[in-house]
Amino acid sequence: MLKGDLKHRTGPYRFYAPVYDRIFAPSFSEGHRNMYRLLNLSKGDRILEVGVGTGVSLRYCPEYVQLEGIDYSDSMLKQARQKQDKGKIGRNVNLSKMDAHHIEFDDHTFDHSLVAHALAVVAKPEVVLSEMKRVTKRSGRICIVNHYSEKDGLLLNLWNPFRKILGLGEKVNFLELVENCGLEILEERRVNRDSASIIICMVPFESRTQ
Ligand SMILES: C[S@@+](CC[C@H](N)C(=O)[O-])C[C@H]1O[C@@H](n2cnc3c(N)ncnc32)[C@H](O)[C@@H]1O
């Protein structure tokens, strides 16, 4: 991913970061809580959260796992680091600045991976999901939380370019994305009335890395 494009994508988060937890996070909390719960994490698991943002989801991350949270926005990461300094995020969490299109971990490093409300924001969701698949162990689970609608209404289509400019994400067909990436869908469920859904998928046992 070109540095200019990355800056352009994550630039708006400079403005959202200070108010993110108050404006966006409340409607995301059901999804955040459920994504950690549905993964059935075990003691000592290594977990990756992509696009961790201000770390608002991490209040639901159990202390018995080791979590790597990555994001490309300095402003969003600053908020997350402040939470950690105040003890609101545990020391079992490591936060790093990283482009999700080039995840700097070896193949099959993590037991499971998560991404919440970030896969529709990145430039190439298919590349990011492939990277998550590469760094997740075989038979490990990948949890995707996002607002999405299968409907193709005129208003949604008109709103889409503005969402992109505002850094709020584009319309993504998540089920197609997951299938094209060669992941097995284990579960799909609605988390709230706001059309936020969770997809839990699994890295197939015979999965190869390119
Ligand atoms: C809508 S926020 C979601 C934050 C958090 N996951 C949540 O649920 O509250 C999207 C996040 O994706 C991050 N992001 C966008 N493109 C990225 C990239 N290429 N690599 C890493 N993070 C990225 C943004 O900086 C932002 O923090």
Side-chain angles (χ1 to χ4, degrees):
M1 177 79 347
L2 293 173
K3 279 242 156 71
D5 195 15
L6 255 177
K7 277 197 181 143
H8 166 74
R9 293 259 164 187
T10 51
Y13 284 92
R14 255 183 323 183
F15 305 106
Y16 301 144
V19 292
Y20 186 91
D21 287 5
R22 262 173 291 148
I23 292 183
F24 297 97
S27 65
F28 292 171
S29 63
E30 266 308 281
H32 289 155
R33 190 171 63 80
N34 277 296
M35 71 183 188
Y36 276 104
R37 192 175 58 80
L38 289 171
L39 277 180
N40 286 327
L41 301 172
S42 304
K43 197 172 172 203
D45 276 352
R46 279 196 83 183
I47 310 297
L48 172 72
E49 185 171 339
V50 170
V52 69
T54 64
V56 70
S57 59
L58 297 174
R59 77 181 89 167
Y60 301 108
C61 171
E63 290 206 341
Y64 54 75
V65 302
Q66 284 300 316
L67 187 125
E68 294 285 342
I70 64 164
D71 202 287
Y72 198 76
S73 161
D74 290 314
S75 312
M76 295 293 267
L77 282 172
K78 186 177 163 196
Q79 299 287 326
R81 291 195 173 111
Q82 281 173 357
K83 283 194 185 78
Q84 196 165 40
D85 291 343
K86 289 179 188 160
K88 292 181 183 169
I89 293 177
R91 292 286 157 198
N92 57 323
V93 172
N94 188 45
L95 299 162
S96 319
K97 180 173 179 177
M98 204 180 287
D99 176 13
H101 298 83
H102 302 282
I103 300 179
E104 296 160 31
F105 288 101
D106 292 337
D107 299 351
H108 313 304
T109 297
F110 297 97
D111 293 285
H112 309 291
S113 312
L114 312 123
V115 58
H117 305 287
L119 212 43
V121 172
V122 298
K124 296 193 170 158
E126 67 287 359
V127 173
V128 171
L129 193 57
S130 300
E131 276 291 272
M132 291 177 71
K133 178 183 173 191
R134 178 184 67 74
V135 298
T136 305
K137 290 180 184 170
R138 295 183 178 97
S139 301
R141 277 159 278 146
I142 297 180
C143 181
I144 301 167
V145 184
N146 226 99
H147 287 90
Y148 67 93
S149 164
E150 300 307 320
K151 291 185 209 126
D152 225 5
L154 179 67
L155 269 179
L156 275 177
N157 287 339
L158 286 175
W159 172 227
N160 208 29
F162 297 103
R163 289 183 57 88
K164 184 177 171 183
I165 293 165
L166 293 170
L168 296 174
E170 292 164 69
K171 190 168 182 281
V172 172
N173 185 331
F174 287 95
L175 293 178
E176 204 175 278
L177 183 73
V178 164
E179 259 177 47
N180 290 345
C181 193
L183 294 164
E184 287 172 24
I185 296 179
L186 300 177
E187 190 175 345
E188 188 207 356
R189 65 157 78 181
R190 191 57 78 86
V191 276
N192 58 24
R193 281 176 294 155
D194 239 6
S195 78
S197 293
I198 290 191
I199 301 172
I200 309 264
C201 39
M202 190 177 79
V203 178
F205 187 71
E206 69 283 4
S207 170
R208 288 161 194 263
T209 47
Q210 296 86 349

